[in-house]
Amino acid sequence: DAGVIQSPRHEVTEMGQEVTLRCKPISGHDYLFWYRQTMMRGLELLIYFNNNVPIDDSGMPEDRFSAKMPNASFSTLKIQPSEPRDSAVYFCASGSGQGRTQYFGPGTRLLVL
Amino acid sequence: AQSVAQPEDQVNVAEGNPLTVKCTYSVSGNPYLFWYVQYPNRGLQFLLKYITGDNLVKGSYGFEAEFNKSQTSFHLKKPSALVSDSALYFCAVRDSGTYKYIFGTGTRLKVLA
């Protein structure tokens, strides 16, 4: 089992650029979560999906952030335009309703200059 | 509202000594409780969970946690700490009626040789 896969692992971009983060959940999992981790705010849930449908996006900071899950094996988190305050580590996690356990990917470290 | 508290930012313990990382929670209904560990530059790794049943839950790497309903606590324990246990530990509670986790602020564990 490959676990949750995220790409890229590191991203450095300039303010105003579009950033796309990618996630492949564990096969068979029907829930997918996007989190952001910073020193100041800790671990924040941004959005989560069930069966590819967004269930709760109340944690998405503003309209610059969007997330999609076109199929059960792929999700993206997009920031457009990016700002320096978006610098953080972004984690994707997946889980199944039966197990109720979330499994995290290795994260994408984003730096916006 | 559901919440979880980790009252200690950092815990120091000597190698070979028992360790405890504290977590208290507030939920309506039956709690679903989790512990995760995060090593530097890595994602969160699942350690153990309590959903129902025995109050003493055993998990990965020799860790265990004790669910105490009267004290609303779910402390993480290990009988003999290793230097390699040094990491950031997160307690989480599942928001009732949803699949969302509410994470604590994390406790940094330092095991001294």
Side-chain angles (χ1 to χ4, degrees):
Chain A
D1 187 350
V4 176
I5 298 173
Q6 291 187 246
S7 65
R9 293 293 310 276
H10 302 272
E11 177 83 25
V12 180
T13 190
E14 293 189 346
M15 183 174 64
Q17 296 298 306
E18 178 179 294
V19 175
T20 299
L21 311 182
R22 297 172 177 80
C23 176
K24 177 178 170 57
I26 293 172
S27 178
H29 283 184
D30 54 353
Y31 283 84
L32 184 138
F33 306 80
W34 282 102
Y35 290 88
R36 178 171 68 175
Q37 186 179 37
T38 61
M39 290 291 291
M40 292 297 294
R41 301 174 68 91
L43 199 60
E44 303 173 276
L45 176 66
L46 301 177
I47 185 171
Y48 78 96
F49 296 82
N50 177 220
N51 292 323
N52 313 337
V53 176
I55 302 300
D56 186 338
D57 65 355
S58 59
M60 297 285 262
E62 47 198 279
D63 292 344
R64 298 184 297 107
F65 285 69
S66 62
K68 294 182 179 180
M69 193 165 185
N71 58 62
S73 58
F74 184 66
S75 178
T76 59
L77 178 68
K78 188 174 292 187
I79 309 173
Q80 166 63 18
S82 58
E83 297 183 2
R85 60 193 168 119
D86 301 330
S87 298
V89 181
Y90 291 81
F91 290 106
C92 176
S94 71
S96 66
Q98 190 169 5
R100 302 185 184 93
T101 300
Q102 295 183 22
Y103 295 91
F104 283 72
T108 295
R109 187 171 296 272
L110 174 65
L111 178 61
V112 183
L113 302 174
Chain B
Q2 274 66 230
S3 66
V4 63
Q6 293 182 245
E8 301 155 318
D9 289 336
Q10 181 159 319
V11 170
N12 295 329
V13 63
E15 186 176 31
N17 283 4
L19 70 87
T20 299
V21 182
K22 295 179 181 177
C23 173
T24 59
Y25 65 90
S26 173
V27 298
S28 54
N30 294 323
Y32 293 74
L33 297 158
F34 304 82
W35 275 102
Y36 285 80
V37 60
Q38 185 179 28
Y39 297 100
N41 301 315
R42 302 283 294 275
L44 277 70
Q45 294 180 32
F46 169 71
L47 279 178
L48 52 81
K49 67 182 176 186
Y50 172 85
I51 295 178
T52 186
D54 197 350
N55 289 346
L56 186 62
V57 180
K58 293 191 182 298
S60 306
Y61 312 122
F63 283 92
E64 57 190 26
E66 187 171 9
F67 171 68
N68 188 317
K69 188 172 184 178
S70 62
Q71 297 186 6
T72 62
S73 67
F74 189 56
H75 301 332
L76 182 70
K77 300 182 179 186
K78 188 173 183 181
S80 178
L82 301 173
V83 172
S84 57
D85 293 330
S86 299
L88 186 58
Y89 290 81
F90 289 95
C91 181
V93 62
R94 189 172 73 99
D95 195 7
S96 60
T98 78
Y99 205 107
K100 292 167 65 170
Y101 282 18
I102 298 165
F103 280 92
T105 51
T107 297
R108 189 165 300 281
L109 174 66
K110 278 196 169 181
V111 182
L112 307 169

